[in-house]
């Protein structure tokens, strides 16, 4: 039997093992995705604060001669390359999440699209990170890299909340008891926070 004809069989067998409801694995993967995005913000910040941004002076290779950092490049090369490697861990979690949601792709389109968006954004962030290096840490590019990361944290938070039924069409907790003014106040808080983050990025360069 050819590889092409075995593929549908493999997909069918895999799908039969995947969940048909939002189970604890889906929830755990959503939480792991949020943790991963947050960790990348912290390690990205560490790259910046330790002035390791050009620890690997080029991209996608670490140097023109080497794909990875070498001991001679010291701690900065180690920090920068370590940060690049974490991208793969994040991509693995995002891909696993999407596979786990396969049987729920129609019923829980919200979760599937959020997971797809998170997965698609990872190569985008890797390219922006690469441009950051190739432009010698141009502040506008670093700022964009940071803001995209903030948006990803927001989307990963939405994924967690929706997986736990705290928001969206499938919510399990009633919000009816909340005062009617709370929603516009919270929307205003979210908008002002986003503006504050953007202004912070611009003024600190
Ligand atoms: C999904 C993957 C990634 C995420 C979420 C992410 C996120 C971040 C964040 C939040 C920062 C801190 C920026 C700041 O404090 O202003 C940062 C810094 C940085 N990132 Fe990434 N990053 C990712 C992948 C990459 C990759 C693949 C590269 C490859 C070169 C890269 C290169 C950098 C560099 C060089 C800095 C330091 C910039 C500086 O020193 O000013 N990032 N990253």
């Amino acid at each position: 039997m050819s590889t092409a004809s075995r593929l549908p069989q493999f997909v069918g067998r895999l799908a039969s093992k995947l969940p048909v409801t939002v189970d604890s694995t889906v929830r755990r993967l959503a939480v792991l995705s949020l943790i991963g995005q947050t960790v990348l913000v912290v390690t990205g910040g560490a790259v910046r604060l330790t002035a390791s941004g050009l620890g690997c002076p080029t991209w996608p290779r670490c140097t023109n001669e080497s794909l990875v950092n070498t001991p001679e490049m010291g701690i900065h090369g180690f920090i920068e390359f370590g940060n690049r490697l974490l991208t793969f861990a994040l991509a693995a979690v995002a891909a696993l999440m999407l596979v786990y949601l396969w049987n729920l792709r129609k019923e829980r389109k919200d979760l599937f699209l959020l997971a797809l968006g998170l997965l698609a954004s990872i190569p985008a962030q890797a390219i922006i990170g690469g441009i950051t290096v190739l432009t010698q840490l141009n502040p506008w590019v670093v700022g964009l890299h940071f803001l995209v990361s903030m948006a990803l944290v927001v989307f990963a938070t939405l994924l967690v909340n929706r997986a736990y039924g705290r928001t969206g069409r499938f919510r399990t907790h009633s919000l009816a008891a909340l005062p009617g003014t709370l929603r516009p106040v919270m929307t205003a808080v979210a908008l002002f926070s986003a503006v504050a983050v953007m202004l912070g990025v611009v003024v600190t360069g």
Side-chain angles (χ1 to χ4, degrees):
M1 196 187 281
S2 72
T3 315
S5 58
R6 272 198 211 123
L7 191 68
Q9 271 186 11
F10 171 75
V11 173
R13 244 182 293 137
L14 180 67
S16 69
K17 294 195 173 84
L18 295 172
V20 288
T21 57
V22 177
D23 66 1
S24 58
T25 310
V26 170
R27 290 194 195 104
R28 276 191 207 121
L29 282 170
V31 172
L32 204 61
S33 179
L34 176 59
I35 293 174
Q37 293 291 351
T38 314
V39 167
L40 255 290
V41 175
V42 176
T43 59
V47 174
R48 189 172 162 85
L49 294 176
T50 57
S52 304
L54 296 175
C56 277
T58 189
W59 184 85
R61 297 168 73 88
C62 183
T63 65
N64 287 330
E65 293 77 34
S66 170
L67 190 65
V68 301
N69 67 307
T70 55
E72 301 82 64
M73 296 170 71
I75 186 74
H76 293 310
F78 180 76
I79 294 174
E80 222 275 76
F81 190 70
N83 192 49
R84 290 187 187 191
L85 281 186
L86 284 177
T87 308
F88 293 100
L90 201 62
V93 174
L96 206 60
M97 177 88 208
L98 206 62
V99 171
Y100 254 83
L101 287 171
W102 183 250
N103 287 336
L104 290 157
R105 65 191 182 283
K106 290 193 185 108
E107 198 190 328
R108 293 304 307 265
K109 210 171 169 183
D110 58 333
L111 295 183
F112 192 76
L113 288 180
L114 277 169
L116 186 65
L118 282 172
L119 180 62
S121 70
I122 295 172
Q125 265 300 60
I127 291 171
I128 300 171
I131 298 173
T132 301
V133 174
L134 297 176
T135 57
Q136 311 281 310
L137 311 182
N138 178 300
W140 290 102
V141 185
V142 179
L144 177 68
H145 194 46
F146 175 77
L147 287 177
V148 171
S149 203
M150 292 302 101
L152 295 181
V153 171
V154 171
F155 288 126
T157 308
L158 271 178
L159 184 68
V160 171
N161 273 335
R162 283 175 177 252
Y164 278 86
R166 292 197 198 111
T167 184
R169 195 156 58 89
F170 296 89
R171 68 172 180 242
T172 52
H173 307 284
S174 171
L175 294 176
L178 292 176
T181 47
L182 201 61
R183 206 182 163 91
V185 170
M186 288 172 88
T187 307
V189 169
L191 282 177
F192 282 120
S193 304
V195 170
V197 170
M198 282 186 239
L199 288 178
V201 168
V202 173
V203 295
T204 59

